[in-house]
Structures are given as C-alpha cells and as structure tokens.
Amino acid sequence: MAAASGVTVANLYYNQPLLGDIARDLGGSGGLLGLVPTMTQVGYAAGMLLLVPLGDSHERRRLIVVMAALASVALLGAALAPGLSWLVGASFAVGITSVVPQLLLPFAAQLAPDAQRGRVVGMVMSGLLIGILLSRTVAGFVGTQLGWRAVFWLAAGLMLALGPVLRLALPSQPPVAPMSYPELLRSLGRLARDEPALRLHSALGALTFGAFSAFWATLALYLQSLPGRHGPQTAGLFGLVGVAGAAAAPLVGRYADLRGDRRINALAIAVLLASFGVLWLLGGSLWGIALGVVLLDLGAQANQISNQARVYSLRPEARSRMNTIYMTTYFVGGAAGAWLGTAAWTRWGWTGVCAVGGGMSAAALALLWIWEARGARGGGAGGGGAGGG
C-alpha cells in the first residue's frame, strides 16, 4: 500500500519541475502555465470529493484497480498534449483519477488494530510522501534526458502495471456502509457539521499544504532565475533532500498512537513557518534552499500525519468519507497555495513566494492557538466528537 500510494501520488507532481521546459515547448503566459500544477490539485480535490466516498459503499479493491487504469489514460492525454490549454485539461484529469492513495489510507486504517493505527497510517503515508518528493527527482532527471513528454509516458506505463499488482496483492474488503451515491454525498455535510475536530484538522491541513505547494510550484521557476540558470534536474534533486523530512512520518505516527494532544501539530507548523524564514534569508544559495526544504517537508508531513491519525480515530464506519472531507479541504488549500505562489512570483519574485508560504503557516498556527485557548476556557470540551478532545 505504501509503494502504490507513492507511485500514484507522484502523478500530481511530475509537472512542477518541468514547467520551464513545458513553457518553452508549448508557449503560454505565466498565468496559464501556473494553471498546470493548480488544475492538477483542483482535479485531485474533485476526485476526493466525488469518488473517494465510494470507498465506504463499494468494495475498495475493485475501485482502486479501476482508478489506476483511468489514471493511465489521463497521463497518456498529458503526454500527447498539442498545446498548453490541452495540458491544463489533461492535468485536471490526472488529478481526478489519481485518488488511489486516498482509497488506500482508509483501507489500511480499517485493517489496523486500534493501538497501531497511527503507526500503520504513518507507514503508508511515508510511502506517499516519498512518492511526492521523488516524483520531482524522477521528473527532473527523465525530463532533462528525454524531454518532458517522456515523464508522462513513463507514468502512464507505471499506472497500467499497478492495477493487476494491486488486484493480486490486496485483500477483498466488503463495503462498511452500503448506501446510495446521493446518500453518501449528503452525509458529508452532516459529518463535517457534527465533528468540530474534523473541521479544525482540515483547516490546518489546507493552510500548511498551501504553504508547501506555494514553494514547490515555483521552485523550478526560481532556480532558472538564479545566476546558474539551474534546470529541472536541479529542481528535482531537491526532492531527494526532502526525503529526510518524509522519513519522520512513521515516528510521528507512533507518537500519535501514544498521545492525544495537539503538541505535534504546533511544533510541526512552527517548523514550517521557520522554513520560509530560512528560504527568504538564505534562498540565494543552493545549500540555503536545501536547508529550507528539509524544514519545510519535516513540518508539513509531521502536521499531516498527526492530522490524519486523529481524523481516522473519529468514526470507523465513515473513514472514507472523513478522509474525503479532510483531503478535499487539504488539496483545495494546496491548489490555492500553488496559485497564490505563482501569482506572487510573477509580481514580487521570491520574496512574494516566501510571504505567501509564511503567511499561510502563521495563519495555521494562529488557528490552532485560538482553538486550544477556547478549549482551555471551556474545560476541554472544544474538541468535539470522539477523539476530538
């Protein structure tokens, strides 16, 4: 599950270190170019909202195999794109079909014993996070050697091969909440209304992933503007640097199993905020960017694991739908961050990108502080819901 999550989620990020090459090949303004990573995130959010809830009402293994096949078709569309507008549309299709990790995470949480759920989620998330980071490395290397289209051809082949592997490797998992599709979608609003802790962690995830995306959506453009005119391969190598942060995911999951407070969220968001200070002050050098990347990925991923371990503990019979609410909000935040980051880059350069990332991180920290202050005044009742104290 960890490996499949990593291979699939990589589809969402291959385009980021390739933006410079795509612009030279297909043309287009900075605004239209920025829609390529943005619409990929918007598509992913749409897939989580419209498709992931089916994991509660349908047999998950079959659904996962079908989505892997559809993702392969969408990636072929990106590889064959004759123009930038086509690529924007194909990027949306890649996003909406690449929801396999968001079906696998509730699958894993359902199989795990209660006392080990955080550890299991952390393990699957470590695969997902490493896939996010190494996707940029692979895209940068393959794009430099064979061109940006070869990256999408390779990804399409991987997804086509993944389907049969998952069909053979995963156990069958009967539906946990058989209901009609309209009932599934209506229940999302009730779950969000009844679980304040879900709303909090969804907001924290959206803000921090927005900050994360603002950086990664503009890194390739920034590197090309430096005196060394660094290409997509250099941008991709920073994904290797970020693996150090992703490696902490299982450790954070173990901590989440042992503790019920939100201390890890506060520490993680503070690290994320500090990363943008480092990137602003030292971003003129590659080693300064590397230090910022380690802090950025560590903070973003530690916060993510803590969020998901808490969300999955709320309602066992609705884990796919809870994941839908959380991850839809999360990737809407990511799409907003990618758009704000590219817009800030166009107007104010690297300082603007760091201001967007730092501002979103600071907003998350302020939101958490307000929540905890209200909970303290209310005698701890502010958490709401099971596991929300």
Side-chain angles (χ1 to χ4, degrees):
M1 288 181 175
S5 295
V7 169
T8 308
V9 80
N11 298 337
L12 307 177
Y13 301 97
Y14 288 133
N15 55 40
Q16 291 184 3
L18 301 173
L19 289 178
D21 289 350
I22 290 171
R24 283 192 294 272
D25 185 23
L26 300 181
S29 65
L32 186 58
L33 184 66
L35 285 177
V36 173
T38 299
M39 292 308 294
T40 307
Q41 302 296 332
V42 170
Y44 198 54
M48 285 183 289
L49 178 63
L50 300 174
L51 300 177
V52 171
L54 294 171
D56 284 338
S57 63
H58 289 68
E59 201 277 302
R60 282 194 178 118
R61 182 177 63 182
R62 183 182 303 113
L63 188 59
I64 288 167
V65 172
V66 169
M67 294 314 301
L70 292 176
S72 179
V73 174
L75 288 160
L76 287 176
L80 295 169
L84 197 54
S85 296
W86 176 296
L87 184 60
V88 169
S91 296
F92 179 83
V94 169
I96 201 170
T97 56
S98 295
V99 293
V100 168
Q102 304 313 321
L103 295 166
L104 286 169
L105 280 163
F107 200 152
Q110 194 80 17
L111 294 174
D114 291 344
Q116 298 178 20
R117 184 162 295 116
R119 184 179 305 179
V120 168
V121 169
M123 182 179 296
V124 177
M125 277 298 298
S126 68
L128 185 148
L129 302 176
I130 289 171
I132 290 174
L133 296 168
L134 293 187
S135 65
R136 300 178 176 95
T137 307
V138 171
F141 179 79
V142 175
T144 298
Q145 303 300 320
L146 302 175
W148 67 269
R149 294 180 189 273
V151 176
F152 292 102
W153 282 108
L154 174 63
L158 286 173
M159 294 308 300
L160 190 62
L162 184 63
V165 172
L166 292 176
R167 176 62 180 81
L168 294 172
L170 296 180
S172 177
Q173 191 176 72
V176 294
M179 59 178 70
S180 69
Y181 185 64
E183 288 175 324
L184 277 175
L185 295 185
R186 285 195 295 269
S187 70
L188 296 175
R190 292 194 299 270
L191 288 169
R193 182 190 63 228
D194 295 343
E195 295 290 350
L198 174 61
R199 297 196 300 271
L200 169 69
H201 288 281
S202 296
L204 294 179
L207 287 166
T208 54
F209 191 52
F212 182 87
S213 299
F215 168 80
W216 283 109
T218 55
L219 177 61
L221 301 174
Y222 175 59
L223 289 173
Q224 286 191 336
S225 74
L226 292 176
R229 298 288 178 181
H230 305 287
Q233 189 165 344
T234 302
L237 287 174
F238 281 105
L240 287 175
V241 176
V243 170
L251 299 177
V252 176
R254 292 189 183 97
Y255 183 91
D257 285 333
L258 296 174
R259 299 186 63 95
D261 60 28
R262 294 185 175 87
R263 189 176 305 170
I264 193 68
N265 290 101
L267 290 173
I269 297 169
V271 170
L272 185 66
L273 178 59
S275 73
F276 284 99
V278 171
L279 290 167
W280 178 57
L281 291 171
L282 306 176
S285 64
L286 294 183
W287 69 266
I289 298 173
L291 176 59
V293 166
V294 171
L295 295 174
L296 177 84
D297 289 337
L298 177 60
Q301 311 314 346
N303 179 66
Q304 169 78 335
I305 296 296
S306 182
N307 285 339
Q308 288 191 295
R310 184 173 290 269
V311 166
Y312 290 144
S313 72
L314 295 175
R315 294 201 184 186
E317 79 284 0
R319 285 196 174 108
S320 284
R321 283 167 289 159
M322 301 287 277
N323 193 49
T324 288
I325 296 167
Y326 174 78
M327 292 303 299
T328 299
T329 310
Y330 181 80
F331 273 89
V332 166
W339 182 81
L340 289 171
T342 53
W345 166 257
T346 301
R347 291 193 175 192
W348 302 293
W350 190 240
T351 298
V353 173
C354 293
V356 168
M360 297 184 85
S361 304
L365 205 55
L367 177 62
L368 184 59
W369 180 83
I370 292 169
W371 176 278
E372 293 296 339
R374 287 180 176 175
R377 287 197 300 271

